[in-house]
């Protein structure tokens, strides 16, 4: 009987456009020595981030199988997969359902890559996945030049010095009394923008419409929020959606706190396509079948080329990962919209997509989610409007 063998697989994938030119990277590491045992990377043409991430996972697991060519693929093998894609980690761990048709065959490939192996999945911040990220970018750069990625030309391993891993993977702690000290979390304080002229009328107002400014009521709400944050004194950074109503809301807080506003495109609201500016009743009357499909599936998009909730969740999750890595241990004010805030809360809770329709989120309301070093999240506040009263 063969002795157990342990490997770490780090994998990543990226798309310059989502969808756009895409590639993946994966590295197999000996956890006892920190030695790089194998690398894999490939340009895959036009694809989404998630497809590229899944392909990176499959390539990493197959690279382990190639190292074990002298015996049964998974005989006595333990593999610890580490990725900065929360979606892939949660889906492959069995905690999230796989609904997107492009993901299902890739997840099945990954599940079948090492039969008999014990595989565990761990989310890591993006800055701890630099080796695989570098490989993915090298592959995309090669694709742009019309060439193939070559291992001999890679410098990814040179930029990621490693130390040996502990002899066994850390077992997640459960329960308040036994939880380890993970340090201060990255806390995203989520402020929905103040009212616009469209808000009281409950009209669809996303990123594909007129980009309205704050109304007088919205400006007052922004000032009230600014006063509340000044009194609390906890916010150290401010980021905002690029849309005007958010930049104006963020600007009011920034002026009071003496901070700069960083704009994050991934925080923009859903593009509601042909529904922009219409009420729910008007959409029901004009596009009833499309509305029914949209309400029934996160993969359905609004009429006229809008974004599905699945697409929004992908970009919001990527933005979240970037913010959590950048602001580890700090409190950040994130000024954004209904869908991104509800999506962040839903993902933190591990709730299904239909949970988006079961949350109330008022204009200029405050919610908060804390993200810890082990990849777990804690929802601390939802739809607080006490500062407006």
């Amino acid at each position: 009987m063969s002795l157990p063998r342990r490997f770490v697989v780090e994998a990543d994938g990226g798309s310059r456009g989502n969808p756009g030119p895409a590639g993946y990277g994966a590295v197999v590491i000996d956890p006892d020595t920190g030695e790089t045992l194998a690398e894999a990377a490939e340009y895959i043409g036009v694809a989404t981030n998630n497809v590229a991430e899944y392909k990176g996972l499959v390539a990493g697991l197959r690279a382990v199988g190639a190292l074990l060519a002298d015996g049964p693929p998974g005989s006595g093998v333990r593999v610890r997969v580490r990725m900065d894609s929360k979606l892939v980690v949660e889906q492959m761990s069995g905690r999230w359902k796989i609904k997107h048709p492009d993901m299902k065959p890739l997840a099945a490939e990954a599940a079948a890559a090492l039969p008999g192996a014990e595989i565990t999945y761990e989310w890591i911040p993006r800055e701890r996945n630099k080796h695989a990220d570098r490989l993915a970018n090298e592959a995309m750069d090669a694709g742009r030049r019309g060439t193939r990625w070559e291992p001999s030309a890679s410098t990814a391993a040179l930029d990621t010095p490693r130390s040996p891993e502990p002899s066994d993977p850390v077992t997640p702690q459960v329960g308040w009394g036994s939880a380890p000290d993970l340090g201060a979390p990255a806390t995203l304080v989520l402020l929905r923008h103040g009212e616009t002229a469209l808000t009281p009328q409950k009209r669809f107002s996303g990123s594909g419409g007129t980009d309205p400014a704050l109304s007088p009521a919205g400006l007052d709400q922004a000032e009230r929020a600014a006063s509340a944050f000044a009194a609390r004194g906890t916010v150290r950074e401010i980021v905002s959606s690029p849309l005007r109503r958010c930049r104006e809301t963020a600007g009011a807080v920034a002026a009071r706190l003496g901070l700069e506003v960083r704009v994050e495109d991934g925080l923009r609201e859903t593009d509601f396509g042909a529904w922009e500016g219409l009420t729910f009743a008007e959409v029901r009357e004009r596009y009833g079948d499309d509305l029914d499909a949209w309400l029934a599936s996160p993969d359905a998009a609004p009429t006229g080329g809008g974004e599905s909730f699945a697409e929004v969740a992908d970009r919001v999750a990527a933005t979240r990962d970037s913010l959590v890595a950048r602001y580890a241990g700090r409190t950040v004010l994130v000024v954004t919209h209904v869908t991104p805030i509800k999506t962040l809360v839903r993902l933190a809770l591990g709730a299904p997509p239909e949970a988006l329709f079961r949350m109330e989120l008022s204009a200029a309301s405050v919610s908060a989610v804390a993200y810890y070093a082990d990849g777990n999240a804690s929802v601390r506040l939802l739809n607080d409007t006490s500062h407006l009263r």
Side-chain angles (χ1 to χ4, degrees):
M1 184 175 67
S2 62
L3 293 174
R5 299 188 62 182
R6 300 168 58 247
F7 299 90
V8 169
V9 169
E10 292 177 353
D12 199 11
S15 169
R16 295 170 179 172
N18 198 31
Y24 67 74
V27 56
V28 182
I29 303 156
D30 183 338
D32 295 319
T33 65
E35 177 188 1
T36 296
L37 302 177
E39 291 179 323
E42 185 179 0
Y43 173 69
I44 58 173
V46 175
T48 64
N49 283 328
N50 292 147
V51 167
E53 288 162 346
Y54 259 111
K55 284 185 174 291
L57 169 62
V58 171
L61 294 175
R62 286 179 174 169
V64 173
L67 293 170
L68 298 167
D70 57 340
S75 178
V77 173
R78 287 188 293 167
V79 180
R80 187 181 184 185
V81 175
R82 300 193 297 210
M83 300 180 69
D84 59 53
S85 170
K86 189 77 169 175
L87 179 136
V88 174
V89 167
E90 294 297 319
Q91 288 183 341
M92 291 304 299
S93 298
R95 291 185 290 269
W96 291 2
K97 291 182 179 179
I98 304 172
K99 295 185 176 181
H100 198 286
D102 292 343
M103 303 299 112
K104 289 181 179 179
L106 291 169
E109 277 189 75
L114 283 174
E118 178 186 332
I119 303 175
T120 58
Y121 290 86
E122 174 189 356
W123 177 86
I124 57 174
R126 189 174 299 275
E127 76 272 11
R128 288 177 53 198
N129 202 26
K130 288 182 178 179
H131 192 155
D133 175 73
R134 180 69 175 271
L135 290 170
N137 277 284
E138 287 181 357
M140 285 185 277
D141 290 341
R144 184 176 57 190
R145 297 190 300 267
T147 61
R148 291 180 61 85
W149 175 84
E150 294 293 340
S152 60
S154 175
T155 61
L158 301 178
D159 295 334
T160 52
R162 300 182 183 278
S163 299
E165 298 272 320
S167 58
D168 288 295
V170 176
T171 301
Q173 302 284 331
V174 178
W176 294 107
S178 60
D181 182 4
L182 298 173
T187 301
L188 304 188
V189 179
L190 309 170
L191 174 63
R192 185 190 169 194
H193 62 80
E195 286 187 8
T196 72
L198 301 179
T199 308
Q201 302 174 30
K202 298 188 181 300
R203 295 183 179 275
F204 283 92
S205 181
S207 57
T210 58
D211 195 13
L214 293 178
S215 66
L219 291 169
D220 179 67
Q221 291 168 337
E223 289 298 332
R224 288 174 182 266
S227 296
F229 286 117
R232 293 174 188 173
T234 56
V235 169
R236 295 290 178 267
E237 310 281 350
I238 301 176
V239 296
S240 171
S241 156
L243 297 184
R244 182 177 178 181
R245 52 199 182 271
C246 286
R247 288 188 287 107
E248 290 179 342
T249 304
V253 181
R256 189 69 63 93
L257 299 184
L259 298 173
E260 298 294 324
V261 177
R262 181 182 183 125
V263 173
E264 289 282 351
D265 185 65
L267 295 172
R268 69 187 184 277
E269 181 57 287
T270 307
D271 181 345
F272 291 112
W275 304 352
E276 294 279 358
L278 302 180
T279 65
F280 190 90
E282 289 168 342
V283 173
R284 168 67 71 191
E285 180 180 354
R286 300 181 195 183
Y287 308 105
D289 291 343
D290 290 349
L291 180 63
D292 287 341
W294 182 72
L295 293 172
S297 170
D299 296 316
T303 310
E307 285 182 290
S308 70
F309 281 142
E311 291 171 319
V312 175
D314 285 346
R315 66 170 163 83
V316 168
T319 304
R320 171 205 62 197
D321 292 348
S322 175
L323 294 176
V324 168
R326 186 186 307 144
Y327 300 117
R330 286 181 279 174
T331 298
V332 186
L333 179 65
V334 177
V335 185
T336 182
H337 309 263
V338 168
T339 310
I341 294 174
K342 287 185 176 182
T343 297
L344 288 167
V345 171
R346 176 182 77 77
L347 294 175
L349 294 172
E354 53 265 30
L356 292 177
F357 300 115
R358 299 192 175 111
M359 292 183 235
E360 176 70 23
L361 211 63
S362 304
S365 63
V366 177
S367 304
V369 182
Y371 298 89
Y372 291 88
D374 64 351
N376 287 315
S378 174
V379 176
R380 294 185 168 181
L381 192 66
L382 180 66
N383 197 39
D384 177 26
T385 57
S386 58
H387 54 287
L388 302 178
R389 295 195 289 270

